[in-house]
Amino acid sequence: MAGPRRLRIGLNQGLAIAALALGVLALAGNPYRGHRVTLDTRELAVIVGTEVDHVTPQTLAGWIIAGATDYRLIDLRSPAEFARYHIPTAENVPIAGLADYGLARNEKIVLYSQGGIHAAQAWMLLRAERYAGVYILFGGLEAWQDEILHPVAPAQPTPQQAATFERAVQVARFFGGAPRAAAAPGEAPAPELLAAPAPAASAPPAPPASAAPAKKKARREGC
C-alpha cells in the first residue's frame, strides 16, 4: 500500500497564495506597518516566469559545503520549530520580525519555511520593500529533507544515475542524513534508511560554484 504523500506547493502557486495573503495583511495590518508597500506586477511576472528567484536544495547544499559566506539564509518558522531542526547556517526570523532584523538591501537573502507559502509571502514583502537579492528555497524544508538529507535510491539505475546517487549519498552523510530505499512502482518512497546516518570523513566534492572561501562549518542534522 502506498504511504502518505505530502502536498508540496509549487513556487508559482505559493506566490499566488501569498498575493492573497498580502491583501489580507493590508486590511489587518502587516509587519511593515508605516511603510508604503508597492509591487511592480510586470517585473513580478518576469521573475516568477523565469524562475530566477529560487535556489534549489542542491545549490544551497553546495554553498554550505563550500563554506560560502555571501548569503543570508532565513528560516521563517517558529523558534520551537527552528530549535528542533534547521538547515545549517540558517538564522531564525519569523515574518513579523523581518522588518526590524536589519537585512541589507544589497545582500543575497534566501528564505525558507516548511513548504513554501510563508517563504513566498516574505519574498513578496521584501521585494515590495525593494530588496533586490531575495530568493526562495525551492520546495522549502520539505524538499531539503527529501532531496538532501534522505535522497531516494533509483531503481535499476544506469551508470550515470548510480554516480549521481553516490554523490547524493555523500552529501546526505555530510549533513548527518542517509539515503532511502527505492519504492515499488506506484508506491511512495520507503521510509527505511539504507544506512545509519554517519558523518563523512571529508566533504564531498563541491559542484563548480563561485563560492567564497570556507569560513562556516556545517552542523549535522540534529542542529
Side-chain angles (χ1 to χ4, degrees):
M1 179 182 297
R5 296 177 182 271
R6 287 180 291 186
L7 177 63
R8 185 175 295 169
I9 301 296
L11 180 59
N12 290 5
Q13 292 171 299
L15 288 172
I17 294 171
L20 294 175
L22 283 176
V24 175
L25 286 173
L27 297 175
N30 65 69
Y32 292 91
R33 187 176 293 109
H35 294 261
R36 182 185 297 276
V37 176
T38 60
L39 283 171
D40 185 326
T41 54
R42 286 178 295 182
E43 178 188 18
L44 178 64
V46 171
I47 290 172
V48 173
T50 56
E51 297 187 342
V52 298
D53 55 344
H54 74 263
V55 171
T56 66
Q58 291 78 12
T59 296
L60 177 60
W63 291 351
I64 296 171
I65 290 169
T69 59
D70 62 344
Y71 69 95
R72 301 281 293 276
L73 180 60
I74 305 299
D75 185 320
L76 299 162
R77 300 172 304 146
S78 70
E81 291 172 317
F82 182 83
R84 282 196 294 272
Y85 175 75
H86 57 270
I87 299 173
T89 74
E91 305 169 56
N92 187 211
V93 189
I95 289 180
L98 276 176
D100 302 318
Y101 193 64
L103 295 170
R105 283 179 169 77
N106 62 348
E107 289 184 298
K108 182 193 297 181
I109 302 167
V110 181
L111 307 165
Y112 78 87
S113 52
Q114 186 64 32
I117 294 177
H118 288 164
Q121 179 181 341
W123 181 91
M124 294 188 76
L125 287 169
L126 291 177
R127 289 291 300 185
E129 289 290 313
R130 299 304 176 189
Y131 285 81
V134 186
Y135 302 86
I136 296 172
L137 178 63
F138 197 71
L141 188 61
E142 290 181 0
W144 174 268
Q145 292 171 327
D146 288 345
E147 299 173 22
I148 302 301
L149 293 182
H150 306 301
V152 178
Q156 300 180 333
T158 64
Q160 182 177 359
Q161 289 174 327
T164 299
F165 181 67
E166 178 55 33
R167 169 165 171 76
V169 170
Q170 294 180 49
V171 171
R173 287 177 176 163
F174 179 85
F175 289 103
R180 291 174 291 169
E187 293 187 351
E192 294 81 9
L193 303 181
L194 296 180
S202 59
S210 55
K215 290 184 180 180
K216 297 182 182 180
K217 293 183 178 179
R219 303 175 199 167
R220 302 307 181 198
E221 184 179 358
C223 67

